[in-house]
Amino acid sequence: MSEELKPCPFCGDKADMIENSGRVKNQPKAFHPCCHNRECIMFIGAQWYNSEKEAINAWNRRANNGSKTD
């Protein structure tokens, strides 16, 4: 993975990346970020993405994206 996943935005636990290996005929690879904590709402994760980079960017995005709000 080129970039690390940030911790879960809901519980702060470790995040995991699930890869659909495309084993089903004609199914492309897909990537699915999710929380490592089974009790967290994000354990089931968000949606599937076409690339690992796209999945990482979506998971790592935060409401303020590093900007301070007053």
Side-chain angles (χ1 to χ4, degrees):
M1 185 176 339
S2 58
E3 186 179 339
E4 292 296 317
L5 292 169
K6 290 181 180 179
C8 176
F10 292 95
C11 74
D13 206 340
K14 178 183 177 229
D16 292 318
M17 181 69 70
I18 297 171
E19 179 182 338
N20 171 347
S21 63
R23 283 184 249 166
V24 177
K25 186 177 181 180
N26 297 325
Q27 182 181 20
K29 281 190 175 182
F31 300 87
H32 179 74
C34 61
C35 182
H36 187 74
N37 178 357
R38 292 181 179 266
E39 296 179 9
C40 181
I41 190 169
M42 290 306 290
F43 174 70
I44 58 170
Q47 66 186 46
W48 288 91
Y49 296 90
N50 294 326
S51 72
E52 188 174 23
K53 181 177 173 75
E54 184 182 12
I56 291 169
N57 288 339
W59 180 268
N60 286 348
R61 185 180 183 283
R62 299 297 188 257
N64 66 1
N65 268 342
S67 303
K68 291 184 178 180
T69 56
D70 294 328

